[in-house]
């Protein structure tokens, strides 16, 4: 029985055959594609199924673990995503059954996991979180993903809507914050974090912006680290790739507050979710 790990986002899908050997995972037949999820249900399901079939190659006996953003009824594979534009045509439909039918598989051969949970599970199994019994997983990108691990239990923390400063956490931790802050404070028009690292950007300006983010991340994490007795943080998402520019500020803040813990950047990247999505079958 082959295992196919899948990570689905608002406009992207990646999939690979995942091979487990002890506490190590290997990948084969990795593939990815951009998918227009503003379309009808048939075109979305067809596009996802095509990528999954390519990862399965010639195999007809396989199970599919899928990491999917919420809100979702993960047990039944029913989409509860609405008012976001993307995946609107799948609202309240059993994506599990639709995909199973398209792939020619029993629905029992598909399992759905929250993407933040899958990320932390994967990193805890074979990546940057292996040494932590209790940890917090954070993905920083377009949005804020979060999960908590207490011993062997990993749950979606849903911290993106947590009250923070004069708004919610996602207002201060994500791409939208960078764009807004850079324009409001410096008149810079950027499309994302990568633009701040361009040679034409004043180093003092980019340094201040990154340090502001680093401080916010530290303030945000501190109460949850204390409450959950966390031993460390596993950080993923596109913004984690620029961690060298803001994590020193985060670590300094946590040290000042008397709770210095390791903050490990993902070593598996998007493949962490592929591992985590498959583990329900292990």
């Amino acid at each position: 029985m082959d295992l196919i790990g899948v990570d689905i986002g608002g406009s992207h899908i990646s999939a690979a055959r995942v091979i487990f050997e002890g506490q190590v995972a290997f990948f084969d037949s990795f593939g990815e594609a951009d998918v227009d999820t503003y379309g009808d249900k048939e075109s979305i399901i067809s596009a996802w199924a095509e990528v999954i079939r390519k990862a399965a190659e010639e195999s007809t006996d396989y199970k599919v673990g899928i990491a999917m953003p919420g809100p979702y009824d993960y047990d039944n594979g029913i989409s509860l995503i609405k008012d976001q534009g993307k995946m609107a045509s799948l609202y309240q439909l059993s994506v599990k059954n639709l995909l199973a039918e398209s792939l020619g598989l029993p629905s029992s051969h598909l399992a759905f996991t929250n993407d933040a949970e899958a990320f932390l599970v994967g990193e805890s199994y074979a990546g940057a979180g292996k040494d932590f019994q209790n940890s917090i997983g954070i993905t920083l990108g377009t949005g804020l993903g979060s999960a908590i691990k207490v011993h062997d239990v990993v749950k979606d923390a849903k911290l993106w809507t947590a009250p923070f400063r004069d708004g919610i956490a996602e207002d201060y931790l994500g791409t939208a914050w960078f764009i807004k802050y850079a324009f409001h404070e410096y008149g810079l028009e950027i499309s994302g974090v990568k633009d701040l690292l361009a040679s034409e950007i004043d180093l003092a300006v980019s340094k201040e912006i990154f340090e502001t983010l680093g401080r916010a991340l530290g303030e945000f994490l501190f109460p949850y680290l204390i409450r959950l007795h966390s031993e460390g943080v596993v950080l993923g998402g596109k913004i984690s790739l620029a961690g060298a520019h803001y994590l020193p500020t985060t670590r300094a803040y946590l040290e000042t507050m008397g709770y210095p813990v390791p903050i490990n950047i993902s070593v598996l990247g998007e493949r962490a979710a592929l591992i985590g999505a498959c583990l329900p079958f292990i």
Side-chain angles (χ1 to χ4, degrees):
M1 177 72 69
D2 291 324
L3 293 176
I4 308 300
V6 182
D7 184 21
I8 292 178
S11 59
H12 189 77
I13 177 175
S14 58
R17 189 159 63 96
V18 185
I19 303 145
F20 292 92
E21 292 184 9
Q23 289 299 112
V24 180
F26 301 95
F27 301 91
D28 192 18
S29 304
F30 180 84
E32 56 188 337
D34 292 325
V35 178
D36 177 12
T37 56
Y38 288 89
D40 58 70
K41 65 180 182 181
E42 290 81 9
S43 61
I44 297 171
I45 295 296
S46 175
W48 287 346
E50 182 181 357
V51 175
I52 294 169
R53 276 193 294 268
K54 285 181 180 177
E57 293 185 319
E58 302 301 316
S59 176
T60 56
D61 185 20
Y62 60 92
K63 293 183 177 181
V64 185
I66 300 170
M68 182 80 79
Y72 238 79
D73 174 352
Y74 290 99
D75 290 338
N76 296 301
I78 295 173
S79 175
L80 302 176
I81 299 172
K82 65 175 182 176
D83 302 329
Q84 298 181 28
K86 298 174 182 178
M87 304 191 203
S89 62
L90 298 174
Y91 178 60
Q92 291 189 324
L93 297 181
S94 175
V95 175
K96 183 177 189 175
N97 290 341
L98 290 170
L99 259 180
E101 182 180 356
S102 183
L103 293 167
L105 295 174
S107 61
S108 60
H109 282 211
L110 277 70
F112 287 73
T113 303
N114 173 269
D115 56 352
E117 286 182 29
F119 163 75
L120 185 55
V121 167
E123 289 289 348
S124 298
Y125 183 86
K130 285 196 294 187
D131 296 333
F132 304 141
Q133 281 200 322
N134 294 1
S135 61
I136 296 177
I138 297 290
T139 55
L140 297 178
T142 305
L144 169 68
S146 60
I148 58 173
K149 176 178 181 287
V150 179
H151 297 288
D152 293 328
V153 178
V154 178
K155 292 292 184 184
D156 176 18
K158 300 182 177 71
L159 295 180
W160 70 276
T161 58
F164 184 63
R165 294 182 177 173
D166 61 353
I168 61 173
E170 196 168 77
D171 293 338
Y172 294 90
L173 301 167
T175 300
W177 174 84
F178 273 98
I179 294 170
K180 182 179 177 181
Y181 187 83
F183 184 75
H184 184 268
E185 296 295 322
Y186 298 102
L188 284 177
E189 294 188 9
I190 62 172
S191 59
V193 177
K194 190 181 295 185
D195 293 350
L196 285 177
L197 303 175
S199 57
E200 61 268 21
I201 299 294
D202 187 319
L203 284 176
V205 169
S206 62
K207 182 174 184 290
E208 192 278 331
I209 295 173
F210 278 120
E211 287 179 350
T212 300
L213 172 74
R215 167 75 184 222
L217 181 59
E219 288 182 17
F220 166 70
L221 286 172
F222 175 67
Y224 298 105
L225 291 169
I226 291 285
R227 189 181 310 164
L228 299 166
H229 306 289
S230 296
E231 301 161 356
V233 178
V234 183
L235 191 65
K238 296 293 186 185
I239 295 175
S240 72
L241 301 177
H245 298 277
Y246 60 84
L247 286 181
T249 305
T250 305
R251 294 185 178 108
Y253 176 83
L254 294 176
E255 188 167 349
T256 299
M257 297 302 290
Y259 204 87
V261 296
I263 302 176
N264 295 347
I265 295 177
S266 165
V267 297
L268 296 169
E270 64 181 10
R271 301 188 182 203
L274 303 185
I275 295 173
C278 286
L279 284 177
F281 296 120
I282 300 297

PDB file of all heavy atoms in Angstrom, residues 4-16:
ATOM      1  N   ILE A   4       0.249   8.571  -0.366  1.00  0.00           N
ATOM      2  CA  ILE A   4       0.430   9.816  -1.101  1.00  0.00           C
ATOM      3  C   ILE A   4       0.093  10.976  -0.161  1.00  0.00           C
ATOM      4  O   ILE A   4      -1.031  11.062   0.341  1.00  0.00           O
ATOM      5  CB  ILE A   4      -0.474   9.886  -2.345  1.00  0.00           C
ATOM      6  CG1 ILE A   4      -0.303   8.633  -3.219  1.00  0.00           C
ATOM      7  CG2 ILE A   4      -0.162  11.154  -3.145  1.00  0.00           C
ATOM      8  CD1 ILE A   4       1.091   8.404  -3.741  1.00  0.00           C
ATOM      9  N   GLY A   5       1.063  11.827   0.089  1.00  0.00           N
ATOM     10  CA  GLY A   5       0.843  13.014   0.899  1.00  0.00           C
ATOM     11  C   GLY A   5       0.512  14.190   0.005  1.00  0.00           C
ATOM     12  O   GLY A   5       1.136  14.383  -1.050  1.00  0.00           O
ATOM     13  N   VAL A   6      -0.486  14.976   0.418  1.00  0.00           N
ATOM     14  CA  VAL A   6      -0.963  16.096  -0.392  1.00  0.00           C
ATOM     15  C   VAL A   6      -1.093  17.337   0.488  1.00  0.00           C
ATOM     16  O   VAL A   6      -1.585  17.255   1.617  1.00  0.00           O
ATOM     17  CB  VAL A   6      -2.343  15.776  -1.028  1.00  0.00           C
ATOM     18  CG1 VAL A   6      -2.814  16.933  -1.901  1.00  0.00           C
ATOM     19  CG2 VAL A   6      -2.277  14.488  -1.837  1.00  0.00           C
ATOM     20  N   ASP A   7      -0.656  18.467  -0.034  1.00  0.00           N
ATOM     21  CA  ASP A   7      -0.823  19.745   0.653  1.00  0.00           C
ATOM     22  C   ASP A   7      -1.573  20.679  -0.288  1.00  0.00           C
ATOM     23  O   ASP A   7      -1.075  21.004  -1.370  1.00  0.00           O
ATOM     24  CB  ASP A   7       0.539  20.327   1.039  1.00  0.00           C
ATOM     25  CG  ASP A   7       0.419  21.613   1.853  1.00  0.00           C
ATOM     26  OD1 ASP A   7      -0.645  21.842   2.450  1.00  0.00           O
ATOM     27  OD2 ASP A   7       1.398  22.385   1.894  1.00  0.00           O
ATOM     28  N   ILE A   8      -2.769  21.081   0.119  1.00  0.00           N
ATOM     29  CA  ILE A   8      -3.609  21.928  -0.721  1.00  0.00           C
ATOM     30  C   ILE A   8      -3.758  23.300  -0.085  1.00  0.00           C
ATOM     31  O   ILE A   8      -4.075  23.423   1.099  1.00  0.00           O
ATOM     32  CB  ILE A   8      -5.006  21.293  -0.933  1.00  0.00           C
ATOM     33  CG1 ILE A   8      -4.881  20.034  -1.786  1.00  0.00           C
ATOM     34  CG2 ILE A   8      -5.961  22.288  -1.578  1.00  0.00           C
ATOM     35  CD1 ILE A   8      -6.191  19.290  -2.013  1.00  0.00           C
ATOM     36  N   GLY A   9      -3.510  24.335  -0.874  1.00  0.00           N
ATOM     37  CA  GLY A   9      -3.712  25.707  -0.430  1.00  0.00           C
ATOM     38  C   GLY A   9      -4.756  26.374  -1.302  1.00  0.00           C
ATOM     39  O   GLY A   9      -5.405  25.737  -2.137  1.00  0.00           O
ATOM     40  N   GLY A  10      -4.907  27.673  -1.130  1.00  0.00           N
ATOM     41  CA  GLY A  10      -5.923  28.399  -1.881  1.00  0.00           C
ATOM     42  C   GLY A  10      -5.688  28.413  -3.375  1.00  0.00           C
ATOM     43  O   GLY A  10      -6.632  28.479  -4.163  1.00  0.00           O
ATOM     44  N   SER A  11      -4.427  28.322  -3.798  1.00  0.00           N
ATOM     45  CA  SER A  11      -4.140  28.380  -5.233  1.00  0.00           C
ATOM     46  C   SER A  11      -3.058  27.393  -5.655  1.00  0.00           C
ATOM     47  O   SER A  11      -2.548  27.471  -6.767  1.00  0.00           O
ATOM     48  CB  SER A  11      -3.693  29.801  -5.621  1.00  0.00           C
ATOM     49  OG  SER A  11      -2.532  30.162  -4.889  1.00  0.00           O
ATOM     50  N   HIS A  12      -2.721  26.444  -4.777  1.00  0.00           N
ATOM     51  CA  HIS A  12      -1.575  25.574  -5.050  1.00  0.00           C
ATOM     52  C   HIS A  12      -1.836  24.187  -4.478  1.00  0.00           C
ATOM     53  O   HIS A  12      -2.533  24.025  -3.479  1.00  0.00           O
ATOM     54  CB  HIS A  12      -0.321  26.171  -4.414  1.00  0.00           C
ATOM     55  CG  HIS A  12       0.952  25.501  -4.800  1.00  0.00           C
ATOM     56  ND1 HIS A  12       1.558  25.697  -6.017  1.00  0.00           N
ATOM     57  CD2 HIS A  12       1.740  24.630  -4.138  1.00  0.00           C
ATOM     58  CE1 HIS A  12       2.671  24.978  -6.081  1.00  0.00           C
ATOM     59  NE2 HIS A  12       2.797  24.311  -4.948  1.00  0.00           N
ATOM     60  N   ILE A  13      -1.279  23.185  -5.114  1.00  0.00           N
ATOM     61  CA  ILE A  13      -1.303  21.826  -4.577  1.00  0.00           C
ATOM     62  C   ILE A  13       0.057  21.191  -4.805  1.00  0.00           C
ATOM     63  O   ILE A  13       0.692  21.401  -5.852  1.00  0.00           O
ATOM     64  CB  ILE A  13      -2.402  20.970  -5.244  1.00  0.00           C
ATOM     65  CG1 ILE A  13      -2.354  19.528  -4.706  1.00  0.00           C
ATOM     66  CG2 ILE A  13      -2.286  20.978  -6.766  1.00  0.00           C
ATOM     67  CD1 ILE A  13      -3.480  18.637  -5.203  1.00  0.00           C
ATOM     68  N   SER A  14       0.540  20.459  -3.813  1.00  0.00           N
ATOM     69  CA  SER A  14       1.747  19.650  -3.985  1.00  0.00           C
ATOM     70  C   SER A  14       1.435  18.250  -3.469  1.00  0.00           C
ATOM     71  O   SER A  14       0.605  18.076  -2.571  1.00  0.00           O
ATOM     72  CB  SER A  14       2.942  20.247  -3.236  1.00  0.00           C
ATOM     73  OG  SER A  14       2.676  20.388  -1.860  1.00  0.00           O
ATOM     74  N   ALA A  15       2.082  17.256  -4.063  1.00  0.00           N
ATOM     75  CA  ALA A  15       1.827  15.869  -3.691  1.00  0.00           C
ATOM     76  C   ALA A  15       3.068  15.038  -3.945  1.00  0.00           C
ATOM     77  O   ALA A  15       3.879  15.357  -4.822  1.00  0.00           O
ATOM     78  CB  ALA A  15       0.641  15.309  -4.473  1.00  0.00           C
ATOM     79  N   ALA A  16       3.220  13.976  -3.161  1.00  0.00           N
ATOM     80  CA  ALA A  16       4.349  13.068  -3.346  1.00  0.00           C
ATOM     81  C   ALA A  16       4.035  11.736  -2.681  1.00  0.00           C
ATOM     82  O   ALA A  16       3.203  11.662  -1.766  1.00  0.00           O
ATOM     83  CB  ALA A  16       5.626  13.653  -2.739  1.00  0.00           C
TER      84      ALA A  16
END
